[in-house]
Amino acid sequence: MAVDDVARAYIDAVLNHPAMREWYEAALAEAWIVPSDEVD
């Protein structure tokens, strides 16, 4: 998705924040799924 420089800076800041990185890594490590959230 194309975004302007200000939006790109915000996105990068959020994605690189330590709390976001921790949350993302923890989410990737989760083994369980919610069947109702899955696409058929």
Side-chain angles (χ1 to χ4, degrees), residues 1 17 19 23 32-33 38-39:
M1 173 187 296
H17 190 281
W23 172 83
W32 58 274
I33 60 170
E38 296 300 307
V39 176

Side-chain angles (χ1 to χ4, degrees), residues 25-39:
E25 295 298 325
L28 290 177
E30 290 182 356
W32 58 274
I33 60 170
V34 178
S36 62
D37 288 340
E38 296 300 307
V39 176

Side-chain angles (χ1 to χ4, degrees), residues 9-25:
Y10 176 78
I11 292 166
D12 291 344
V14 169
L15 293 178
N16 290 308
H17 190 281
M20 180 62 169
R21 299 295 315 152
E22 181 181 349
W23 172 83
Y24 182 77
E25 295 298 325

